[in-house]
């Protein structure tokens, strides 16, 4: 039989790699940081492979360490699950969720309590980040992305197609010379005189529509004034500026539906512009069979579809 490395040493390595530091691993395992370092060194000696490199007082995973980490994490989760089930203790699953930054900042963070209430005990790590992400390095269980081209080697499904809608605070919509109700005449004068809020999507968001593309779709030429105004580098920030009464923003339905429903925002014109790509969920192979991942996938899909299907948007996509 092949001699196995120290189980305690493997546990120390997995905790240090997952937590990002020996100190955090020591706190989790209730030992000293020096003990964690010694345990990991023992495993390295037994395996004849370096798992960490010490660089400028930091421990950096080697290729061998990165390869081992997701498999060890899964193994220890399974061991912990069996142990808790046999001991009758409550099982707390750990779920790493990755979404675009704007979704993490407001939309999803305010809804997670509903999932926890419905599912039960679960430790959730919410990550707001742009594509592409590293599923194995960051131990991500489920990723929500705009478009499905980012992760062709993983299981990816389209869940909803959204649109952008001109939205503003009620007081802004009632400025003299503007449409006073949804469905008002969509002429160049409808938004004349109103400050427009632009969203700078950055190089990875080139396929999102701009005010120029909205005016072109409406058969109107944007005025020179319409090309100026406030600008934000996230859709969430642009939405907050609109709610504050600083102008009209082009907002995704998934983000603005709630504010339309409670009256913080209105749609000064009815025209929407359908996005060119869908929102997608990606789940790595190691997480597909996990019960908590399947439950979160179903819940998140329903939440997205409910927001995009809000009656205030008036558009079935």
């Amino acid at each position: 039989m092949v001699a196995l490395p120290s189980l305690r040493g493997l546990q120390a390595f997995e905790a240090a790699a997952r937590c990002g530091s020996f100190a955090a691993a020591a706190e989790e395992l209730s030992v000293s940081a020096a003990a964690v370092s010694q345990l990991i060194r023992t495993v390295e000696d037994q395996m004849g492979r370096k798992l960490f490199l010490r660089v400028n007082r930091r421990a950096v995973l080697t290729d061998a360490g990165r390869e081992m980490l997701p498999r060890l994490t899964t193994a220890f989760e399974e061991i912990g699950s069996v142990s808790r089930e046999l001991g009758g203790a409550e099982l707390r699953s750990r779920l790493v969720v990755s979404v675009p930054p704007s979704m993490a900042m407001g939309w999803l963070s305010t809804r997670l309590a509903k999932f926890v209430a419905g599912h039960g005990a679960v430790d959730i790590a919410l990550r707001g980040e742009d594509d592409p992400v590293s599923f194995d390095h960051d131990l991500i269980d489920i990723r929500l992305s705009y478009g499905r081209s980012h992760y062709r080697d993983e299981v990816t499904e389209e869940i909803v197609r959204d649109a952008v809608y001109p939205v503003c605070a009620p007081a802004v919509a009632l400025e003299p010379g503007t449409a006073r109700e949804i469905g008002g005449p969509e002429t160049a004068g409808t938004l004349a005189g109103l400050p427009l809020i632009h969203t700078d999507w950055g190089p990875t968001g080139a396929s999102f529509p701009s005010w120029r593309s909205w005016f072109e779709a409406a058969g109107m030429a944007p005025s020179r004034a319409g090309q100026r105004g406030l600008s934000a580098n996230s859709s969430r920030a642009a939405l907050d500026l609109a709610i504050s009464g600083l102008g009209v923003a082009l907002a995704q339905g998934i983000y603005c539906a709630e504010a339309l429903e409670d009256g913080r925002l209105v749609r000064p014109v009815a025209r929407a512009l359908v996005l060119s790509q869908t929102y997608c969920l990606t789940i790595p192979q190691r997480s597909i069979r996990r019960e908590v991942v399947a439950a979160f996938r179903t819940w998140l899909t329903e939440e997205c579809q409910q927001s995009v299907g809000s009656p205030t948007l008036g558009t079935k996509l």
Side-chain angles (χ1 to χ4, degrees):
M1 179 180 294
V2 177
L4 296 177
S6 162
L7 184 61
R8 186 65 170 163
L10 290 174
Q11 186 180 27
F13 160 74
E14 189 277 336
R18 171 170 45 80
C19 296
S21 73
F22 285 12
E27 183 177 351
E28 180 177 303
L29 299 175
S30 300
V31 298
S32 67
V36 169
S37 179
Q38 182 58 48
L39 286 166
I40 293 173
R41 189 172 291 109
T42 298
V43 170
E44 290 177 327
D45 291 342
Q46 291 172 335
M47 297 180 62
R49 303 284 294 277
K50 283 290 185 183
L51 302 177
F52 283 105
L53 293 176
R54 278 68 178 178
V55 180
N56 296 329
R57 297 184 179 181
R58 293 177 58 246
V60 179
L61 279 171
T62 64
D63 289 342
R66 281 192 291 271
E67 183 179 345
M68 285 176 55
L69 177 57
R71 299 168 69 181
L72 280 178
T73 298
T74 300
F76 279 120
E77 284 182 349
E78 183 64 20
I79 292 172
S81 174
V82 171
S83 176
R84 285 186 290 267
E85 288 177 4
L86 292 176
E90 180 183 24
L91 174 62
R92 290 189 68 88
S93 299
R94 186 171 188 273
L95 180 67
V96 181
V97 179
S98 175
V99 297
S102 287
M103 182 163 284
M105 284 189 292
W107 187 87
L108 183 55
S109 59
T110 60
R111 286 166 166 77
L112 280 179
K114 292 197 303 183
F115 174 75
V116 174
H119 182 271
V122 58
D123 294 327
I124 299 176
L126 178 60
R127 302 173 59 91
E129 51 201 344
D130 293 319
D131 292 300
V133 300
S134 175
F135 286 93
D136 287 339
H137 181 269
D138 298 317
L139 298 180
I140 294 168
D141 292 304
I142 188 167
R143 166 69 182 174
L144 177 68
S145 301
Y146 176 65
R148 63 177 305 149
S149 61
H150 303 288
Y151 311 108
R152 297 187 183 278
D153 296 332
E154 304 287 354
V155 177
T156 299
E157 63 175 328
E158 299 180 353
I159 60 169
V160 72
R161 187 179 293 274
D162 204 351
V164 292
Y165 305 82
V167 294
C168 61
V172 173
L174 295 177
E175 290 286 336
T178 66
R180 293 175 176 268
E181 62 182 51
I182 293 176
E186 293 186 6
T187 66
T190 302
L191 299 178
L194 292 183
L196 301 182
I197 299 170
H198 304 270
T199 304
D200 177 8
W201 303 107
T204 62
S207 61
F208 275 94
S210 63
W211 271 114
R212 174 177 291 278
S213 54
W214 185 89
F215 278 112
E216 289 175 351
M220 297 180 274
S223 65
R224 180 170 299 180
Q227 299 175 40
R228 300 196 296 266
L230 288 167
S231 178
N233 67 349
S234 79
S235 52
R236 180 67 202 184
L239 190 64
D240 287 341
L241 292 173
I243 291 173
S244 298
L246 295 176
V248 187
L250 274 180
Q252 295 105 302
I254 200 169
Y255 295 142
C256 69
E258 186 174 10
L260 288 168
E261 290 168 0
D262 62 25
R264 287 176 294 158
L265 289 174
V266 296
R267 294 170 57 197
V269 293
R271 179 176 293 276
L273 197 58
V274 178
L275 295 179
S276 61
Q277 300 186 60
T278 57
Y279 281 100
C280 300
L281 286 181
T282 303
I283 302 174
Q285 287 290 340
R286 58 176 165 77
S287 300
I288 286 177
R289 296 185 179 181
R290 295 186 61 206
E291 179 183 349
V292 66
V293 174
F296 191 82
R297 169 194 164 277
T298 299
W299 175 82
L300 182 58
T301 298
E302 291 175 351
E303 288 292 317
C304 291
Q305 292 175 347
Q306 181 177 342
S307 291
V308 171
S310 170
T312 62
L313 299 176
T315 305
K316 289 193 174 182
L317 306 173

